[in-house]
Amino acid sequence: MRNRTIQIVGLLFLLLWAGSLSAQTDSESITIPLSNPGEDGKLKMNLLYGSINVEAHQGKEVIIETRSSQNPKNPKTKNGMRRIGDTSLEFSVEEFNNKIVVKSKNQSKRVDFLIKVPENFSLDLRAINSGNITVEGVKGEMEMSNLNGAITLTNIGGSVIADALNKDIVITFTKGYEKSPMAFTSLNGDLDITFPRNLAANIKAKTDYGEIYTDYEMKMTRDVGKDEKKSSSGVYKVTVDKWVTGTINGGGAELLFKTMNGDIMIRSDK
């Protein structure tokens, strides 16, 4: 097996022109060859400011594009000199044995990434501020976390664990469904998940200030968790945690849905 590590650093400078009234946008594209072309791979990325957009393509390499825009109406000056460059798009990429790790080195400015990967690729993506996570046409194990943005996965296959604290999670499985446990959670957003019509699963769902909907024929069960505590004075305190539970097509792997301020939609791909 051929092992190697590729370290790539991309630098992009935004040119600011005096008197310009519109925002300028710049981008850079680099291609990362894989150690084992044609085999499964994995992409891992943590981004502080910006969006992560991943698309499947027919190639056997990973293509990374960075985009940034800045309004140059008030360019920075120092001692009578005008700034003409910006290193906000500096980032690094490491590849080892088909595992790609992308790191954005500037932690104070927004950078948007468009990444093209082969179809069979696992994803571990995390974003925090000023951006969304979107994935199109990828099949693999996926872990997604977005603190202040939405998560949208379209035409995907595999398994998903997704958490969006303050926005919606919208997922459509159409490229193959992995029969394994999954979890979809949010605090202040809706969960809108579409599965194949022949889905067989155990459903566990809860929303504190919303509703739960499905177009599947679900056999309802009841699962009430109790937390009992006894104080020093001998008084018992019992907290009842109610979940909606049921089975679809005889049951299968557990699918967990949980949000506080939002609705839960469990859809069939009809």
Side-chain angles (χ1 to χ4, degrees), residues 227-243:
D227 181 19
E228 299 185 9
K229 295 181 179 179
K230 182 178 180 180
S231 68
S232 58
S233 60
V235 177
Y236 279 96
K237 179 180 179 181
V238 180
T239 301
V240 178
D241 194 17
K242 293 184 178 180
W243 290 74

Side-chain angles (χ1 to χ4, degrees), residues 155-188:
N155 190 26
I156 68 158
S159 62
V160 175
I161 296 176
D163 172 29
L165 187 65
N166 291 312
K167 295 291 183 177
D168 298 342
I169 297 176
V170 180
I171 301 175
T172 304
F173 289 90
T174 56
K175 297 189 74 66
Y177 171 72
E178 185 70 27
K179 296 180 180 180
S180 62
M182 303 191 202
F184 314 92
T185 60
S186 181
L187 182 66
N188 297 307

